[in-house]
C-alpha cells in the first residue's frame, strides 16, 4: 500500500507561490540581461574592493540615471541612431565594427562600458577606459566622402559622447522622472570625466552647452545609404529569445521618441506610426515589469561595496 504523503512536509501555500515567483523573476531577469551581455572577455567585480567608490560614488546623479534598464535601453537606441548621422563617426563603425553581424555583442560591450565606468571599482573602470583607448588608437580610415577619420579624434569622441549622454538623460527624464536643471548639469559634468579620460577633454558640460552643441553640429550631419541601413538594422534588432521580441521592439520605438525632431526627420522616422504610438503607451506597462524582473541590479551591489569599511 502506497504511503500517504505527510502534509507537514509540504511548504505552506504562500511559501510555495513565493518560491515560484522568485524563480520566475530570476528566469525573466536572466533573459533580459542576455540582451546586453558583453562578449568583451572582461569580467568586472562590482562587489570588491570594500570602500572603493569607483569614479563617482553612490551620491552621483549618473548612478541614478544609469540604474534604470528600460530607460537606458531606449536611450541606447536613440544614441546609436543619432551617432549614425555623423559621416566620419559612422565610417569608423562601419569599417571596423561587427555591429552589422553582431548587434547584440556591440550593445553588450557598450553596456558593460557604461556600467563599469559608472558602478565598477576605480581599477575596473580604468581598465575599461584603457581598453577602449587601445582599440581607438588602431582605427583609421577614409569616409565615403573622402574625409579621413580616426576613432581617437577628440572631435569624433565628443560627438559619440554627447549623443550617448544626451540620449541616456532624455530616457530617464521621459520614462522615469524629472530632474532639476542643476541635477542635469551635474550629470553632464560627471560624464565629462569619462570623456576626458578617453581623450576628449573639452566636451559640453551643462544642459545649455549640450543643446547648443547638438544644434551647431546639424550642418555637418547627413543621412546616407549607410545611415538608412543602420536604421533598418536597429529597428529590426535580432533577439535570440522570441518571447522578448515585443519588449525589444517597444523599447526601440521608445528610443526613436527620444530623438530631436530634426534627427527623426533626417532618419526618416518622423512619419506618424501606429506601432510607435502603441509602443510609447506600452512602455508604461513594460518598464515596471522589467524593473521587477531585474531587481536592484549593479547599483545596489556597488553601493554596498562603496559603503563597506575598507580592508586593511
Amino acid at each position: 500500500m502506497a504511503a500517504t504523503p505527510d502534509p507537514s512536509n509540504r511548504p505552506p501555500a504562500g511559501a510555495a507561490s513565493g518560491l515560484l515567483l522568485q524563480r520566475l523573476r530570476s528566469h525573466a531577469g536572466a533573459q533580459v540581461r542576455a540582451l546586453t551581455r558583453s562578449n568583451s572577455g572582461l569580467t568586472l567585480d562590482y562587489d570588491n574592493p570594500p570602500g572603493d567608490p569607483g569614479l563617482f560614488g553612490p551620491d552621483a546623479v549618473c548612478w541614478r540615471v544609469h540604474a534604470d534598464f528600460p530607460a537606458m535601453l531606449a536611450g541606447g537606441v536613440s544614441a546609436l541612431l543619432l551617432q549614425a548621422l555623423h559621416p566620419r563617426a559612422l565610417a569608423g563603425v562601419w569599417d571596423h565594427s561587427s555591429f552589422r553581424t553582431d548587434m547584440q555583442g556591440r550593445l553588450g560591450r557598450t553596456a558593460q562600458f557604461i556600467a563599469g565606468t559608472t558602478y565598477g571599482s576605480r581599477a575596473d573602470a580604468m581598465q575599461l577606459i584603457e581598453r577602449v583607448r587601445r582599440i581607438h588608437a588602431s582605427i583609421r580610415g577614409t569616409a565615403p566622402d573622402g574625409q579621413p577619420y580616426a576613432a581617437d579624434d577628440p572631435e569624433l569622441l565628443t560627438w559619440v559622447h554627447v549623443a550617448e549622454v544626451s540620449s541616456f538623460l532624455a530616457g530617464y527624464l521621459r520614462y522615469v522622472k524629472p530632474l532639476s536643471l542643476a541635477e542635469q548639469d551635474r550629470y553632464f559634468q560627471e560624464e565629462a570625466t569619462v570623456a576626458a579620460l578617453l581623450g576628449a577633454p573639452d566636451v559640453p558640460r551643462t544642459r545649455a552647452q549640450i543643446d547648443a552643441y547638438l544644434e551647431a553640429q546639424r550642418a555637418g550631419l547627413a543621412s546616407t545609404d549607410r545611415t538608412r541601413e543602420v536604421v533598418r538594422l536597429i529597428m529590426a534588432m535580432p533577439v535570440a529569445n522570441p518571447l522578448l521580441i515585443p519588449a525589444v521592439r517597444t523599447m526601440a520605438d521608445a528610443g526613436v521618441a527620444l530623438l530631436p525632431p530634426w534627427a527623426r526627420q533626417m532618419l526618416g522616422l518622423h512619419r506618424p506610426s501606429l506601432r510607435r504610438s502603441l509602443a510609447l503607451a506600452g512602455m508604461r506597462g513594460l518598464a515596471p515589469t522589467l524593473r521587477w524582473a531585474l531587481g536592484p541590479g549593479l547599483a545596489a551591489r556597488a553601493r554596498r561595496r562603496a559603503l563597506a569599511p575598507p580592508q586593511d
Side-chain angles (χ1 to χ4, degrees):
M1 186 174 179
T4 302
D6 183 355
S8 64
N9 291 331
R10 298 176 186 166
S17 60
L19 181 60
L20 179 61
L21 193 62
Q22 189 175 34
R23 288 176 178 172
L24 176 63
R25 181 180 186 178
S26 177
H27 177 73
Q31 294 299 309
V32 172
R33 289 187 188 93
L35 294 172
T36 55
R37 182 173 296 128
S38 174
N39 58 6
S40 69
L42 295 177
T43 300
L44 307 182
D45 185 355
Y46 292 95
D47 303 304
N48 292 291
D52 187 331
L55 295 181
F56 303 107
D59 293 330
V61 178
C62 64
W63 272 50
R64 280 185 273 161
V65 172
H66 295 173
D68 192 79
F69 182 89
M72 286 293 286
L73 191 53
V77 168
S78 176
L80 289 173
L81 291 169
L82 192 56
Q83 289 166 2
L85 287 170
H86 195 297
R88 287 187 294 136
L90 177 56
V93 174
W94 190 276
D95 296 341
H96 298 274
S97 170
S98 62
F99 84 97
R100 282 171 287 166
T101 56
D102 184 23
M103 180 76 71
Q104 189 281 322
R106 169 70 189 276
L107 287 173
R109 292 188 294 275
T110 301
Q112 184 186 56
F113 181 85
I114 299 298
T117 53
T118 304
Y119 302 114
S121 67
R122 184 172 185 84
D124 278 353
M126 294 305 300
Q127 178 188 22
L128 285 166
I129 289 168
E130 289 305 315
R131 179 179 181 276
V132 170
R133 287 183 68 107
R134 287 195 302 271
I135 293 171
H136 282 174
S138 65
I139 296 178
R140 301 282 189 278
T142 303
D145 61 2
Q147 294 187 75
Y149 66 80
D152 56 5
D153 178 351
E155 181 183 335
L156 294 188
L157 288 172
T158 298
W159 169 254
V160 172
H161 168 80
V162 171
E164 288 184 348
V165 296
S166 62
S167 295
F168 293 152
L169 185 58
Y172 187 87
L173 295 175
R174 181 155 189 166
Y175 301 122
V176 185
K177 63 181 180 179
L179 292 174
S180 69
L181 184 59
E183 289 173 314
Q184 294 180 47
D185 286 349
R186 274 184 57 200
Y187 172 75
F188 291 128
Q189 182 72 33
E190 290 163 3
E191 287 302 294
T193 300
V194 178
L197 291 170
L198 285 172
D202 298 321
V203 300
R205 294 167 181 260
T206 67
R207 171 86 269 172
Q209 290 174 3
I210 290 283
D211 293 343
Y213 172 85
L214 287 171
E215 185 63 27
Q217 291 297 305
R218 289 178 59 181
L221 304 181
S223 181
T224 65
D225 288 342
R226 287 183 171 185
T227 307
R228 288 184 282 276
E229 177 63 7
V230 170
V231 172
R232 186 190 69 79
L233 290 169
I234 291 174
M235 299 312 294
M237 194 179 303
V239 183
N241 186 339
L243 295 176
L244 292 178
I245 291 176
V248 172
R249 297 290 183 269
T250 294
M251 284 186 281
D253 285 324
V256 171
L258 299 176
L259 289 164
W262 56 262
R264 288 200 299 273
Q265 178 84 30
M266 292 184 70
L267 292 164
L269 295 170
H270 60 291
R271 298 175 185 85
S273 166
L274 177 61
R275 192 186 90 170
R276 201 164 301 138
S277 298
L278 293 173
L280 296 178
M283 273 292 281
R284 289 194 290 271
L286 175 63
T289 302
L290 291 178
R291 292 174 190 131
W292 170 81
L294 292 166
L298 297 179
R301 292 172 58 187
R303 179 177 291 275
R304 286 194 296 270
R305 182 201 72 231
L307 299 180
Q311 295 179 343
D312 294 332

